[in-house]
Amino acid sequence: MAHKSDFQFSIREYKPSDKHGVMSLFCHGILEHVYPAFFKAITNPDHVGIALSISMAGYVLGGSSYFQALLFGSLWAGLIYYCCHDIYDSYMMGRLSTDMADIAANYLEIPSNGFWVAEANVNGQAKVVGMVAVIGKRQEEEEERFDDLNRGGNSTEFAQDASDGSYAQMSHIVVGFAWRRRNLGSQLTRKALDFCKEQGFSRLVIDLSSPQTAAISMCQKLGFVQMALHSNTHANPWFSKVARINVMQMEKLI
């Protein structure tokens, strides 16, 4: 599979020998969202107003001290950055200790799951430059989860998933920075869609955080539509509010 004269890649199933490259790509791919999230949050009109108010308070409390004003404003900016970093870092660490801890066992050994890498030839050596994963959600599994939620009295959020049949969740779609804008992300997503068709899934779902504008745009071009928007980042709820990060659930019918 080739794209452009100076860039050739192939998409294949993950192999244990890919582990180092995949882990490095995954960690960089997650943490790179921290700065866009921070700049988006710090320029939010509400946060700008808070920053000005805090800086003014520092100026007054410091006896007309510009240094104190700058210090107070910097502390507010530091808090926003910390919240943004914690959200993505906690997500990354959580996945590294669960499904990413043993990719072969959690993906390759389960027929309804899949994990693929994009491999490119770089200076005569094969290098992992992209990745994508799919976890299948069979109907019987969703019915069990739906029953558990019913017993817990909180069934509204997942009622549709339980009744619509089998579907799949796409995650870990990452393309190395130097290999972007070459249609590789779309190719990886199509690979996931083809797998879902083979498995008989009715739809493919993906969760994206609001700073992931490029990924959101790519999914929209491929026919994904927004189904839900929430602020549950699995981090401290107050961190999500300070960081102004939302999670967009998108899906494509197959």
Side-chain angles (χ1 to χ4, degrees), residues 213-234:
T213 54
I216 293 171
S217 177
M218 180 197 71
C219 287
Q220 289 173 335
K221 290 177 181 177
L222 291 174
F224 285 78
V225 296
Q226 179 180 332
M227 301 302 295
L229 185 69
H230 60 85
S231 59
N232 180 17
T233 61
H234 303 290

Side-chain angles (χ1 to χ4, degrees), residues 160-161 164 166-168 201-205 251-254:
Q160 184 177 358
D161 285 348
D164 282 356
S166 302
Y167 72 101
F201 294 122
S202 62
R203 54 203 172 97
L204 180 61
V205 177
E251 75 170 31
K252 179 178 174 63
L253 299 179
I254 301 172

